[in-house]
Amino acid sequence: MSATRAGSAGVVFDESALLALGSGNSLASHFVANTEHGPTRHVYVPALCLAAADGLRKGLAEHVGALPAVEIVELDFAGASTVGALLRDGVEWRLGHAVHLSRPTLDWPDGRHVVTVDPGRYADLPLVRTIRLPQRG
């Protein structure tokens, strides 16, 4: 059974959301806490976004990797192909993996929202919906 048919909701944390989480942002923490309290909530972390965030804040990868409610998603062949195409179109590599995970799939026919501090970075990308995190919170 696909996740969405079971009534699940999923979000994708981009680099900025991971940095906010590491800084104690209450809304980012709320997403993770809700995931811990229910099997129908999912927080996905693209590995490339985690690498970018860890490059800016040492130790963040270990912190996020230790959270049982967060699923770190590796970059597979389909993802690498999508990210490559996005790079050719001028999209920053640190956004590409989040874009790939946010778009509709068989398991997520409506896609998944990207949680981000800067939704404007995704404004021109088709099929990407965002949830804005406050800079501080």
Side-chain angles (χ1 to χ4, degrees):
M1 175 180 285
S2 87
T4 54
R5 278 186 265 154
S8 291
V11 295
V12 176
F13 272 37
D14 76 357
E15 166 209 7
S16 68
L18 292 168
L19 290 167
L21 178 66
S23 296
N25 181 286
S26 60
L27 183 55
S29 297
H30 183 70
F31 277 109
V32 173
N34 278 346
T35 301
E36 291 175 349
H37 298 300
T40 61
R41 306 257 183 234
H42 307 276
V43 172
Y44 298 96
V45 173
L48 289 180
C49 295
L50 184 57
D54 191 66
L56 295 170
R57 185 178 181 133
K58 183 179 179 181
L60 187 61
E62 288 80 13
H63 171 72
V64 172
L67 297 171
V70 171
E71 182 177 336
I72 298 169
V73 182
E74 296 176 2
L75 187 64
D76 60 8
F77 175 75
S81 296
T82 300
V83 171
L86 290 166
L87 288 171
R88 287 189 299 277
D89 289 341
V91 175
E92 291 182 54
W93 69 269
R94 61 187 70 233
L95 303 180
H97 199 179
V99 170
H100 170 65
L101 290 180
S102 74
R103 289 185 170 162
T105 65
L106 289 175
D107 286 338
W108 296 97
D110 294 327
R112 294 171 271 196
H113 284 84
V114 175
V115 178
T116 183
V117 171
D118 186 3
R121 296 167 79 184
Y122 299 92
D124 296 330
L125 297 169
L127 304 175
V128 179
R129 297 175 298 150
T130 59
I131 296 172
R132 184 186 166 277
L133 283 179
Q135 291 277 346
R136 307 219 188 281

